[in-house]
Amino acid sequence: MPVKIFYGHVSWLIEAGVDSIFLPRLISVAPKEYICPKFMGLPDMMAAAFPNRARFIAPVVNLTLSPRLFYRELEKVGQGLGCTAKETRKAWDEALAAQKRFQSFLQGGNWPAEYEAEQDRDTESMVTRPLDNPNLRIGLLGHSYVIYDKLASMDAVSRLHHMGAEVLTVDMLSPARIEAQAVRWPKRMFWTSGRRILGAAWEYTEMPVDGIIYITAFGCGTDSLTAELVERTVRRRSQIPQLILNIDEHTGEAGVVTRLEAFVDMLRWRRAR
Ligand code: SF4
C-alpha cells in the first residue's frame, strides 16, 4: 500500500471504533522473493503513529523460512482470538480456498467489485464496463492496491471504460504465463509485485493490445526501477505505445484526464491508419 494512504486507512478504522487491526508483517509471500521493505515496517509505523489507540495483530509472514514457522505464527494469532490450533488451521485452509476462488474470478476477465456484487446480489457493481464492442484494448500495469483504488488511480479504469476501451490487468493474466515471461528477464527480479509486473509487460507485448499504461503512485520506490525496465523492454520488443502515469498528492485530476484522453486518441489514430 502506498504508505501515505495506509495512515489514512488506519486512522479511519480507529475513528470507526475498532479495537484490533489485522496487519501482517509481510516479508515474503513466495519462495526466493520478497515484498517491498515498507511492508515489513508497517506494524511498527502504525503503532508509533497511533499509540494505544488500537491493538495491531501482526504475525510475521516470511515464506523464505520453513512452513512450520509460518503455521506457528498463525497459531499464535488463533490463540489470541481464543481458537485451538485445529480451528486456526481450518480457518486458514478456508481463507486460502476463498483467495483462490477470488483469483480465478479475476483471471476470467472480471473486476474485484464485481466479485462483491456476485457474492451479494443486491449490491450493484461499482465497475463501469466498456461499451459492448470496445474499439481499443489497453494493458494496465501497476500494483493492485493502486489500480483498483479509485482515489489512488484517479479512477483511471472507469475513465478508460467510458472512453470505449477494454482494460486488462495483471490479475486477469494467467499466473503461469506471467511466470514463464518473468523468467526471461536476464536477472531475477526478487520483489514479488515487480516480478508480476515485468512478466505481465512482456506478455502484453505478445498480445493484441493497442497500448500499455503503467500507473505508479505516491513515489513508489520499487516502481522507480520496474517502470524503467518495463519502458525499455516494451520499446525494444514491440511498437506498442506506452504511457507512464505517475500520480501523487500534487497531481491534478484535469491533467490525468487530459493525458488519458490524448493517449486514447493517439491509439485510435494509429489503429485507423
Ligand atoms: S513503495 Fe511501492 S511497493 Fe512499496 S509499499 Fe509503497 S507503493 Fe507499495
Side-chain angles (χ1 to χ4, degrees):
M1 189 84 209
V3 174
K4 289 176 194 168
I5 295 182
F6 200 86
Y7 277 97
H9 286 190
V10 170
S11 170
W12 185 88
L13 283 172
I14 290 173
E15 294 300 320
V18 303
D19 40 38
S20 298
I21 296 177
F22 185 65
L23 177 51
R25 190 184 296 279
L26 298 177
I27 296 174
S28 165
V29 295
K32 295 191 195 158
E33 288 175 21
Y34 290 91
I35 293 291
C36 164
K38 287 187 187 170
F39 279 90
M40 295 183 210
L42 272 183
D44 302 318
M45 285 187 248
M46 296 307 125
F50 304 97
N52 307 320
R53 303 278 305 279
R55 178 171 71 120
F56 291 99
I57 303 172
V60 176
V61 178
N62 184 356
L63 297 193
T64 59
L65 303 177
S66 78
R68 197 168 45 84
L69 289 175
F70 172 67
Y71 284 117
R72 200 179 294 159
E73 280 292 309
L74 278 186
E75 281 167 21
K76 271 197 265 170
V77 173
Q79 269 169 11
L81 298 170
C83 299
T84 62
K86 198 171 162 198
E87 286 168 335
T88 304
R89 188 64 183 257
K90 183 165 174 282
W92 168 251
D93 289 342
E94 285 173 6
L96 212 53
Q99 176 68 12
K100 283 190 180 145
R101 278 198 302 278
F102 177 63
Q103 284 170 332
S104 319
F105 181 79
L106 298 186
Q107 280 158 35
N110 301 302
W111 296 87
E114 291 174 320
Y115 189 72
E116 289 162 30
E118 194 172 272
Q119 304 299 300
D120 174 6
R121 304 250 171 221
D122 295 335
T123 310
E124 212 178 301
S125 169
M126 300 288 289
V127 171
T128 317
R129 281 273 163 176
L131 308 172
D132 285 344
N133 294 310
N135 46 20
L136 286 179
R137 199 178 205 214
I138 292 176
L140 196 60
L141 296 170
H143 300 291
S144 21
Y145 44 77
V146 171
I147 60 174
Y148 297 135
D149 185 314
K150 284 176 180 275
L151 187 70
S153 68
M154 293 221 165
D155 210 7
V157 170
S158 298
R159 293 181 198 280
L160 289 167
H161 282 166
H162 279 299
M163 292 174 205
E166 178 190 359
V167 181
L168 296 176
T169 67
V170 179
D171 293 320
M172 291 176 189
L173 305 180
S174 138
R177 288 293 308 161
I178 291 179
E179 185 52 30
Q181 300 287 24
V183 296
R184 297 170 72 179
W185 288 81
K187 190 167 187 303
R188 184 180 172 83
M189 167 59 81
F190 52 84
W191 291 314
T192 298
S193 61
R195 189 170 171 80
R196 275 167 52 76
I197 289 171
L198 290 181
W202 203 302
E203 180 71 354
Y204 285 149
T205 64
E206 295 178 4
M207 290 173 71
V209 297
D210 297 280
I212 295 175
I213 299 179
Y214 192 153
I215 304 182
T216 78
F218 294 90
C220 170
T222 64
D223 277 350
S224 60
L225 172 68
T226 315
E228 186 68 29
L229 291 174
V230 165
E231 191 189 359
R232 289 184 195 187
T233 303
V234 171
R235 203 176 337 120
R236 204 174 53 233
R237 288 181 47 83
S238 73
Q239 303 278 311
I240 301 173
Q242 342 172 32
L243 170 68
I244 296 182
L245 208 53
N246 200 328
I247 299 176
D248 65 18
E249 62 269 50
H250 304 293
T251 308
E253 189 178 343
V256 170
V257 174
T258 305
R259 292 191 70 196
L260 288 176
E261 283 177 348
F263 188 66
V264 166
D265 281 352
M266 183 267 292
L267 296 182
R268 285 221 172 82
W269 172 76
R270 282 182 104 237
R271 190 179 258 219
R273 283 174 70 212

